[in-house]
Amino acid sequence: MAKDKTTFTCTECGGTSPRWLGKCPACGAWNTLVETVTEASAGKNRLSTPQGYAGAAHAQAVTPLAAIEAQDVARTPSGIEELDRVLGGGVVEGGVVLIGGDPGIGKSTLLLQAMDALQRAGLPTLYVTGEESGAQVALRSRRLGIDGSQVQLLAEIQLEKILATVDATQPAVVVIDSIQTTYSDQLTSAPGSVAQVRECAAHLTRMAKGTGIAVILVGHVTKEGALAGPRVLEHMVDTVLYFEGDTHSQFRMVRAIKNRFGAVNEIGVFAMTEKGLKGVSNPSAIFLSQHSEPVPGSCVMVTLEGTRPLLVEIQALVDSGGPSPRRLSVGLDKDRLAMLLAVLHRHAGVACMDQDVFVNAVGGVRISEPAADLAVMLSITSSLRGKALPRGFLAFGEVGLAGEVRPAPRGQERLKEAAKLGFSVAVVPKANAPKRPIEGLSIHAVERVEEAMNVVREMG
Ligand code: TYD
Ligand code: MG
């Protein structure tokens, strides 16, 4: 077989160059050329068709959709309940999972625990480590109390050797820790470059689909928060999981942001202990900080991403700023904060123009749903006025540019969870107000943001 050649392809226009250049010779874009493998045989059997274009293949048979037998995917639960929840029930045969997160957040720990559980459930596993030596992984397994583990380990970073080993040992699940350390000798680029990561992930995905072996890729997140190099990886794989959370806090969340075999936005919650990650089966109250008395600038909301409601405290600090005041948010969208401040000014007459505004979602949780809007605005006004919201208070609802308060999905569930945890007063969008009262919870339904502000002011 002829050896495959590499060329450099522009990610913008698709133009090619035989060697790397800073600027694409075809479209002139900078830094867009990425090394790609071209198979030596490609282009050999081109046919010219009467239509005038060159096609390399003959027409294939097509099948009506109804005639294709749909099979349920075979899943094996890992036994780690919070992980199975985000995976959509367990590890899928031939499925490819990408798990991303900051260094030190617990990716290797979680996967080692999961592999051990799968191995004990009777599934042969292979853990390929490129980041750490075998001795380091053994040390970690000792800390986790799984030192008698039968998980097979391979310390290797060259893709071809990994594939050959997988072929020889035939595991059911392979972990590649990490995809950024893996390299193929078909390419000349350095390990970790976009070209290498993409090529290695593509080979591993093809292997998974061809053999039914499940593959779990560990990916690093860059400082900007994207998986290093390749967002391209996200569309290749079946499932994308992100580790979130503050490395300083004990709690970690794994969120499914894409899943071909389950629901997205599902969250698994873990606590990092000295014996590894432990699932938190009832996480609804862990993102509340414990104040003995209500404090200004704090408002609790119920977020519902995935299937479980979580109560999260939103904190705001509004303080006099300099000539160009700062707007900073942690765990919430910064652009949305600017928008909410404008709405607050225009529709509720609350001005923060000369003030620094900081908002934070407690506990390192990241909230992307707009249902947080009302709680963000109420915590800001509470901080500005130096007046705490009442004890047992919560609010949720999306706020529009016109000052209208829009309903959040599954409002009843949110309110019931809050009542269960002892909350007593809620400000919610009108459409979310329950038909029958919820015991212990007095509900104020509002349609506009100024109405919400008035309700709160009247509470004293
Ligand atoms: P690690 O799983 O190596 O993170 P990643 O692979 O995402 O880079 O490390 C997780 C962190 O957790 C590390 O700083 C050490 C700590 N840790 C514990 O607190 N308890 C434990 O049992 C283990 C194994 C690690
Ligand atoms: Mg690691």
Side-chain angles (χ1 to χ4, degrees), residues 102-109 140 143-144 272-276:
D102 292 334
I105 199 153
K107 302 181 291 296
S108 305
T109 304
R140 169 179 294 126
R143 281 187 63 183
L144 296 171
M272 180 62 92
T273 68
E274 70 278 8
K275 283 223 168 291

Side-chain angles (χ1 to χ4, degrees), residues 399-411:
V399 175
L401 284 177
E404 81 280 17
V405 176
R406 299 195 204 125
R410 289 151 66 203

